[in-house]
Amino acid sequence: MTFRPDDLPTELAEALERARPRLGRLGHRLLFFSSVGSTNDVAAGLAATGDAEGAVVVADAQTAGRGRRGHTWFSPPGAGVYVSLVLAPAHARHSASRAVSLVTLMAGVALVEAVQQVTGLAADIKWPNDLLVGRRKLAGILAEGVARPAAGGYMSFVVLGYGLNVSPAAYPQEIDERVTCLETELGRRVDRPMLVAETIAVMAERYADLLACRFDAILDAWRDRSPGSRGARVSWESPSGIKSGVTDGIDDTGALLVRSGSRVERIVSGEIRWGA
Amino acid sequence: MDLDQLKQILELVREHELAEFEVEHDGLRLKIRKDATGALAVTPGAGAAVPAAPPVAGAAATPAAITPAAVPTAADIADSEIELAVVKSPIVGTFYRSSEPGSAAFVEIGSTVKKGQVLCIIEAMKLMNEIDSEYDGEIVNIHVENGQPVQYGERLFAIRTK
């Protein structure tokens, strides 16, 4: 099925225009879809065309919204903010590999800050970048690294997609207990176009931090927003089975440290669950 | 001790999560020790005069996997003898052979691949990195199992180039 971009709705166009001075490297190219399969797939397609850094894809609904490792991201019309960005963290002034390693934490920080800016709600970050209110998921991020032919070789892009739940929706039963949305938490309506514009603007600001190698600013903000990354009991799947331990912060590459008996495990991938 | 045996020992240590392992055979002493983070440090050496190796520099950043390039393995030699291209991991992370659980693997042994074709995904910091083939050819070996951690520089695939 092919999806064609639609004209920007007036309210979104106005919100983006107000945010324009803060959009930095993002948004010189912006595609809006009233409905699309997956914003990440569209963004990956843009990345394939080469000079795509900063491209933004916004959708009102996704028919095949994706999460990590085949999880579905439930994206019904008008219920959330579904955005994908094409980033090139390897463009960082120096320490490109550290910038790439921190791009997903950067995105979590930006999203939590934008939500607070627009709504006042202070969500928590769960390692590495889920947004939670209590134990319920408010937003998720899917980042996919792709290498595409470019002038003089290959260019690495990161397609960074985020889904933010805004309005109550008929969530599938199996996730209903584990998700929440802004309007449920706040008990009032939220201006979705403003939220779209603000998330892109704060992403642009934090992305500028990343490219300028202001890593400590990103890590400090992340630590402030993630109370569960210290002293919380967690479990995770390792190749040798389920392990558990107590979180002990993140290191400078963003890896989660977990104290397990006398060992400190350094977790760089996979999913963390609360509790033993 | 030949390289095949050495490789078997390393795999046993990894599989059984042994903290330390030492063997002396035909004048060769081999000591394998995990540091506090679970990284393996390997000290091959002749006779008993070899001091225990300190953990390899940067080993703290490499949990539960064999430090790459510490010893040439039988696979190294086998691959180079028949002039295979080796695809190595550009990052530390988790190796996935398919886009999601339950879907078909990107490639199998015997698959014909083209330059730019996705071979696997390595997840690090919840960034799903597509690893593309740099070669046209045929997959003749897949060195890592689905879902296993991989280290920087660890061999992933051998490709007989065309």
Side-chain angles (χ1 to χ4, degrees):
Chain A
M1 185 166 179
T2 7
F3 296 91
R4 297 193 180 285
D6 299 289
D7 291 337
L8 263 185
T10 312
E11 288 163 16
L12 179 56
E14 288 170 0
L16 285 166
E17 198 46 46
R18 283 192 297 277
R20 177 73 52 193
R22 298 161 58 215
L23 294 186
R25 294 168 88 107
L26 303 188
H28 58 86
R29 193 167 169 196
L30 190 144
L31 295 183
F32 172 81
F33 295 83
S34 52
S35 180
V36 74
S38 150
T39 53
N40 260 34
D41 290 347
V42 176
L46 294 178
T49 65
D51 178 31
E53 187 195 4
V56 177
V57 180
V58 179
D60 212 28
Q62 296 182 105
T63 58
R66 293 183 286 118
R68 182 183 165 273
R69 299 295 301 149
H71 288 269
T72 301
W73 189 265
F74 187 62
S75 319
V81 166
Y82 316 114
V83 178
S84 292
L85 313 172
V86 179
L87 305 181
H91 278 168
R93 194 174 297 164
H94 54 83
S95 314
S97 68
R98 198 165 164 216
V100 173
S101 151
L102 289 179
V103 68
T104 51
L105 274 75
M106 176 285 284
V109 167
L111 202 51
V112 83
E113 288 174 336
V115 165
Q116 186 163 17
Q117 187 65 35
V118 174
T119 70
L121 182 77
D124 291 338
I125 300 175
K126 177 183 172 235
W127 186 89
N129 58 15
D130 283 341
L131 262 61
L132 300 187
V133 179
R135 292 280 167 98
R136 287 172 181 260
K137 192 149 158 175
L138 178 70
I141 294 170
L142 175 66
E144 299 175 296
V146 292
R148 293 290 177 260
Y154 278 80
M155 177 64 218
S156 300
F157 292 106
V158 171
V159 173
L160 191 130
Y162 53 94
L164 170 60
N165 302 326
V166 178
S167 306
Y171 290 107
Q173 202 179 349
E174 64 272 19
I175 60 167
D176 191 48
E177 290 287 295
R178 293 184 280 127
V179 298
T180 189
C181 66
L182 286 171
E183 291 183 352
T184 298
E185 294 299 326
L186 297 162
R188 58 176 161 82
R189 298 275 296 168
V190 171
D191 184 336
R192 218 154 42 91
M194 193 196 280
L195 205 50
V196 171
E198 186 65 19
T199 56
I200 298 168
V202 183
M203 285 282 178
E205 289 162 0
R206 286 302 189 178
Y207 180 49
D209 282 343
L210 194 73
L211 293 182
C213 303
R214 291 189 286 270
F215 301 132
D216 286 345
I218 292 166
L219 288 164
D220 289 349
W222 192 96
R223 291 179 176 115
D224 282 349
R225 300 287 191 160
S226 184
S229 66
R230 247 177 210 291
R233 183 152 281 283
V234 294
S235 64
W236 70 98
E237 244 173 75
S238 80
S240 52
I242 305 276
K243 291 187 171 184
S244 68
V246 174
T247 56
D248 196 19
I250 53 170
D251 70 14
D252 284 350
T253 65
L256 182 67
L257 305 175
V258 181
R259 220 164 261 287
S260 181
S262 59
R263 297 162 59 104
V264 175
E265 302 267 359
R266 186 175 170 277
I267 297 175
V268 299
S269 61
E271 198 114 21
I272 295 297
R273 294 190 197 87
W274 301 116
Chain B
M1 184 185 305
D2 67 26
L3 289 165
D4 257 325
Q5 288 172 308
L6 184 56
K7 196 177 175 217
Q8 276 174 16
I9 290 169
L10 284 168
E11 273 168 7
L12 281 171
V13 168
R14 193 168 162 184
E15 187 181 325
H16 296 284
E17 298 200 303
L18 301 178
E20 196 160 340
F21 181 86
E22 196 165 357
V23 64
E24 203 162 346
H25 182 72
D26 283 352
L28 176 83
R29 199 185 97 180
L30 176 77
K31 183 171 178 170
I32 302 168
R33 187 165 62 84
K34 274 190 183 178
D35 69 14
T37 64
L40 282 172
V42 183
T43 319
V50 180
V56 177
T62 56
I66 294 163
T67 306
V71 278
T73 64
D76 276 304
I77 289 167
D79 287 352
S80 61
E81 273 173 358
I82 43 177
E83 291 181 2
L84 298 178
V86 174
V87 179
K88 294 182 177 177
S89 179
I91 49 169
V92 176
T94 300
F95 173 85
Y96 294 112
R97 289 190 51 201
S98 61
S99 62
E100 57 191 68
S103 68
F106 294 112
V107 293
E108 302 284 356
I109 289 175
S111 296
T112 303
V113 294
K114 294 215 168 299
K115 193 173 171 179
Q117 183 176 337
V118 177
L119 301 176
C120 65
I121 285 174
I122 297 177
E123 178 184 16
M125 309 306 296
K126 213 174 139 193
L127 172 58
M128 316 305 286
N129 293 280
E130 285 180 355
I131 307 299
D132 298 344
S133 178
E134 290 173 43
Y135 314 96
D136 291 337
E138 180 193 341
I139 303 284
V140 293
N141 206 349
I142 301 175
H143 294 283
V144 185
E145 282 184 35
N146 187 52
Q148 293 295 308
V150 291
Q151 300 305 320
Y152 175 80
E154 188 169 339
R155 61 189 53 247
L156 306 174
F157 299 93
I159 298 176
R160 183 182 291 124
T161 54
K162 281 185 181 158

